């Protein structure tokens, strides 16, 4: 299991609940206060895994580049967080500050998101300066279809009173 994982833009926490099984410590985060309340409820409804905490994160706020190693993460996961081009440099700076030197950022985004090109441009600049290694892979169509199937299954389970809940 990975020691510390951060999910940026956790939303309702569906991905986070799945990530909880792979991490010793998982921090689910979002920016919006109402989303944080909903995310907290999702964690509680799923018997509040002890290794999960919920935190408000605004990656557009300046973060010190000297984050202590014990506060950094081995893995940072962000799904569908690349909306606004002007937010991509602060997002990348946040990731670089919070990611351990040997850590991995996994970002998943629809091709149509406005921030994708800006994020990649900033990441390529950081890679050329040696601050990070960049590997961009398109999402296989099968993976997207699989993700849709998982969401549909979890929705059916939630509606049927199963042990997986969405708030």
């Amino acid at each position: 299991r990975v020691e510390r994982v951060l999910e940026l833009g956790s939303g309702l926490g569906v991905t986070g609940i799945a990530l909880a099984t792979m991490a010793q410590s998982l921090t689910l985060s979002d920016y919006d206060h109402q989303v944080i309340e909903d995310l907290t409820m999702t964690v509680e409804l799923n018997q509040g895994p002890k290794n999960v905490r919920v935190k408000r994160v605004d990656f557009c706020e300046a973060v010190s580049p000297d984050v202590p190693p014990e506060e950094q993460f081995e893995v940072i996961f962000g799904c569908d967080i690349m909306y606004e081009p002007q937010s991509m440099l602060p997002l990348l700076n946040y990731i670089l500050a919070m990611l351990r030197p040997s850590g991995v950022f996994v970002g998943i985004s629809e091709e149509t998101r406005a921030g994708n090109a800006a994020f990649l441009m900033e990441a390529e600049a950081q890679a050329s300066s040696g601050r990070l290694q960049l590997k961009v892979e398109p999402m296989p169509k099968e993976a997207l279809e699989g993700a849709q199937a998982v969401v549909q299954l979890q929705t059916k389970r939630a509606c049927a009173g199963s042990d997986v809940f969405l708030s």
Side-chain angles (χ1 to χ4, degrees):
R1 284 171 46 143
V2 176
E3 184 183 345
R4 288 179 47 91
V5 176
L6 168 66
E7 183 187 15
L8 294 172
S10 298
L12 293 176
V14 175
T15 303
I17 295 300
L19 288 172
T21 63
M22 296 178 253
Q24 291 176 18
S25 172
L26 172 65
T27 301
L28 303 178
S29 70
D30 213 290
Y31 167 77
D32 185 87
H33 293 284
Q34 182 59 54
V35 173
I36 290 294
E37 287 181 31
D38 295 343
L39 181 56
T40 301
M41 184 183 302
T42 298
V43 171
E44 290 170 359
L45 287 171
N46 285 281
Q47 284 76 47
K50 302 290 186 248
N51 64 329
V52 177
R53 73 182 199 131
V54 175
K55 178 181 178 183
R56 183 180 179 275
V57 169
D58 181 355
F59 51 75
C60 288
E61 292 178 1
V63 62
S64 169
D66 301 317
V67 175
E70 64 272 8
E71 293 179 23
Q72 292 178 318
F73 297 88
E74 288 177 279
V75 176
I76 297 178
F77 184 84
C79 184
D80 208 21
I81 58 173
M82 297 169 191
Y83 286 97
E84 298 143 356
Q86 67 273 16
S87 301
M88 295 304 98
L89 180 57
L91 170 61
L92 186 58
N93 288 336
Y94 184 86
I95 291 166
L96 289 171
M98 298 306 294
L99 196 61
R100 290 184 178 166
S102 61
V104 175
F105 168 68
V106 177
I108 299 174
S109 185
E110 289 185 37
E111 292 178 2
T112 58
R113 291 290 179 230
N116 287 348
F119 183 84
L120 287 174
M121 183 180 75
E122 296 295 346
E124 287 168 354
Q126 295 295 333
S128 67
S129 72
R131 282 191 72 195
L132 75 105
Q133 292 182 354
L134 181 63
K135 182 177 180 182
V136 178
E137 295 181 14
M139 180 67 71
K141 183 179 179 189
E142 299 81 25
L144 294 173
E145 291 169 354
Q148 291 170 340
V150 168
V151 169
Q152 290 171 353
L153 176 64
Q154 297 296 20
T155 302
K156 287 179 184 176
R157 285 183 178 168
C159 292
S162 179
D163 58 353
V164 175
F165 299 95
L166 307 174
S167 61

